[in-house]
Amino acid sequence: MSNSSEWIARGDQHIAKTYGRYPLVPVRGAGCRLWDADGREYLDFLAGVAVNNLGHCHPKVVAALQDQAARLLHCSNYYHIPQQIELAEILCAHSFGDRVFFCNSGAEANEAAMKLVRKYSREKYGENRFEVITALASFHGRTIGTISATGQEKVKTGFAPMVPGFKYVPFGDAQALKSAISPNTCAVMLEPVQGEGGVNVPPAGYLQAVRQICDEHGLILVFDEVQVGCGRTGKLFAYEHDGVEPDVMTLAKALAGGPPIGAMVAREPFVSTLGPGTHGSTFGGNPLMAAAGIATLKVLLEDGVLENCVAMGDYLRIRLEELQLRYPFVTAIRGRGLILGMELSIDGGEIVTKALQRGLLINCTVGCVLRFVPPLIVSRAEIDEMIAILDGIFAEQR
Ligand SMILES: *Cc1c(COP(=O)(O)O)cnc(C)c1O
């Protein structure tokens, strides 16, 4: 087994250079901790970017994977897959959804949603009804379709031409959304809380207003809950905070507690527009990932994880606000549950690098917003430890 610097040198030779990686080689994890190839310990407040919601290697998820791995790893979606059926039952029982399409990632879930809204609307209203309105500062994935949907130029550079049929409006402005509607508009796609765009929580009443506008104009409402679903905000799904339901919701990241999975949850009559042969995925909803998904949702719903997320979200926010009072370069704290952003008037990237050197994993979005998305099982003691590290770094900034 190589040490960290040997692994980094080997990776430099043969791994595609698509990520600006930090010099960290994690090899083991448990709860909110990671250990690197040199045996060094880290406190993880990034959680694989909101994936490890139950912490690393949650014993019930690991047991479900081990058990399923020994029975059946994969079979085709030409056949019926019990684990996939059970996972769909749980998702529909706890949401607005009637049916679920399974895939392997957030981008794929959004691709399924975009195919659904186009096909349904064209069949119902005519050939030209294919435009989707999304938000500025949104993030929907890295495929050609989902970078076209994303309201940020930086993900599109070099990849033109984009898929036609997207319009972007400021997030949180219902009037702007209304003005962007044309006879060709078929759907609106939004993150209920924007993650990559800087942890942006919409103003109260915004999502209700969007729902109403969609109803008035016959538009399908899609919520991308890839980052903020699965308990991250303190409710199972982020839309529950706003008293509105979408017609389609996409999930991925935390749905199986670590292993790759994606899902599009949707209601009738929309979802049945995707009939046999219209969409598919070789691996989507395979027995192994679906078994991990069932175990993950059961822990989320039955083991007090959502309650802990609410309590620890409140506590983390209070502790971050204390730092805001003491350090003038902290300009805002925002978020919901355990997705919290701290906006800085200084470079956030440098803070992330210093945190890593001190054994703390956090990240920075849009250059100046520190993002805290720890496992939802995080404790007060771990939050205190994180705050102490951050305080030490901030004290050096003066
Ligand atoms: C991460 C993310 C995606 C993309 O998910 P992948 O699994 O990386 O394809 C899409 N939407 C949102 C809101 C995300 O945070």
Side-chain angles (χ1 to χ4, degrees):
M1 189 80 160
S2 302
N3 65 26
S4 292
S5 56
E6 287 162 2
W7 278 122
I8 291 166
R10 285 170 63 182
D12 269 350
Q13 300 302 306
H14 296 296
I15 297 295
K17 299 180 177 184
T18 52
Y19 306 98
R21 295 176 197 264
Y22 290 96
L24 169 63
V25 185
V27 294
R28 187 164 66 84
C32 298
R33 308 273 165 182
L34 275 177
W35 288 268
D36 72 11
D38 304 328
R40 206 177 154 211
E41 184 177 306
Y42 297 83
L43 180 60
D44 187 3
F45 270 59
L46 182 59
V49 193
V51 167
N52 303 106
N53 281 12
L54 303 181
H56 292 283
C57 299
H58 189 285
K60 289 185 181 171
V61 177
V62 171
L65 281 162
Q66 285 174 332
D67 184 59
Q68 185 58 46
R71 289 167 200 273
L72 184 64
L73 285 173
H74 173 78
C75 67
S76 169
N77 275 308
Y78 292 157
Y79 311 117
H80 299 270
I81 301 173
Q83 294 74 22
Q84 191 184 115
I85 295 166
E86 204 180 314
L87 182 56
E89 285 171 351
I90 299 172
L91 287 169
C92 291
H94 290 90
S95 75
F96 65 91
D98 293 316
R99 296 178 185 277
V100 184
F101 171 80
F102 288 106
C103 50
N104 313 287
S105 69
E108 281 178 68
N110 288 332
E111 292 280 352
M114 293 186 292
K115 283 179 74 172
L116 182 157
V117 299
R118 280 189 172 188
K119 187 160 184 292
Y120 179 87
S121 304
R122 284 191 144 150
E123 283 169 4
K124 181 154 187 197
Y125 300 103
E127 268 304 288
N128 290 327
R129 185 122 161 173
F130 62 85
E131 265 178 24
V132 178
I133 299 175
T134 71
L136 291 167
S138 58
F139 182 79
H140 298 297
R142 293 291 197 159
T143 61
I144 289 283
T146 54
I147 62 175
S148 302
T150 293
Q152 297 192 62
E153 276 310 308
K154 68 178 183 195
V155 303
K156 310 184 189 199
T157 311
F159 302 117
M162 291 294 110
V163 175
F166 293 97
K167 269 191 191 168
Y168 318 97
V169 295
F171 185 61
D173 182 344
Q175 200 50 51
L177 185 126
K178 204 168 184 170
S179 308
I181 294 169
S182 82
N184 299 339
T185 307
C186 73
V188 173
M189 181 159 80
L190 296 172
E191 297 155 84
V193 175
Q194 290 187 328
E196 301 302 310
V199 190
N200 303 316
V201 181
Y206 173 66
L207 295 178
Q208 276 124 322
V210 172
R211 176 75 267 182
Q212 200 181 339
I213 292 166
C214 287
D215 291 342
E216 284 164 12
H217 292 80
L219 308 180
I220 302 171
L221 180 56
V222 181
F223 281 167
D224 177 344
E225 295 225 12
V226 169
Q227 184 157 157
V228 295
C230 304
R232 177 55 56 190
T233 65
K235 295 193 186 284
L236 190 57
F237 303 114
Y239 72 80
E240 296 173 42
H241 292 278
D242 296 275
V244 296
E245 289 179 347
D247 303 304
V248 179
M249 164 173 74
T250 55
L251 301 172
K253 290 197 165 84
L255 181 54
I261 191 171
M264 177 187 68
V265 180
R267 70 162 113 229
E268 298 290 13
F270 310 107
V271 63
S272 287
T273 196
L274 294 178
T278 59
H279 196 45
S281 164
T282 299
F283 290 128
N286 74 76
L288 191 63
M289 300 318 164
I294 295 165
T296 299
L297 286 179
K298 283 188 176 162
V299 173
L300 269 178
L301 291 164
E302 294 165 15
D303 292 3
V305 178
L306 297 178
E307 293 78 0
N308 191 66
C309 174
V310 172
M312 291 304 109
D314 288 346
Y315 183 63
L316 176 55
R317 182 188 286 268
I318 289 167
R319 298 295 329 258
L320 292 173
E321 283 169 355
E322 282 168 19
L323 292 180
Q324 182 182 14
L325 289 177
R326 294 183 23 233
Y327 297 102
F329 53 81
V330 177
T331 53
I333 308 290
R334 54 179 182 255
R336 190 165 267 172
L338 278 172
I339 174 165
L340 290 167
M342 173 185 256
E343 190 168 311
L344 307 175
S345 60
I346 59 172
D347 176 31
E350 204 178 302
I351 305 290
V352 172
T353 300
K354 286 186 175 172
L356 177 65
Q357 287 159 0
R358 294 172 195 222
L360 168 66
L361 306 185
I362 53 174
N363 99 319
C364 173
T365 66
V366 298
C368 61
V369 180
L370 299 182
R371 176 171 44 173
F372 304 91
V373 282
L376 310 183
I377 56 159
V378 70
S379 68
R380 282 173 80 97
E382 284 158 340
I383 290 173
D384 290 341
E385 187 182 338
M386 193 283 289
I387 292 288
I389 296 170
L390 209 55
D391 196 357
I393 297 166
F394 282 0
E396 287 178 358
Q397 296 303 119
R398 298 203 228 226

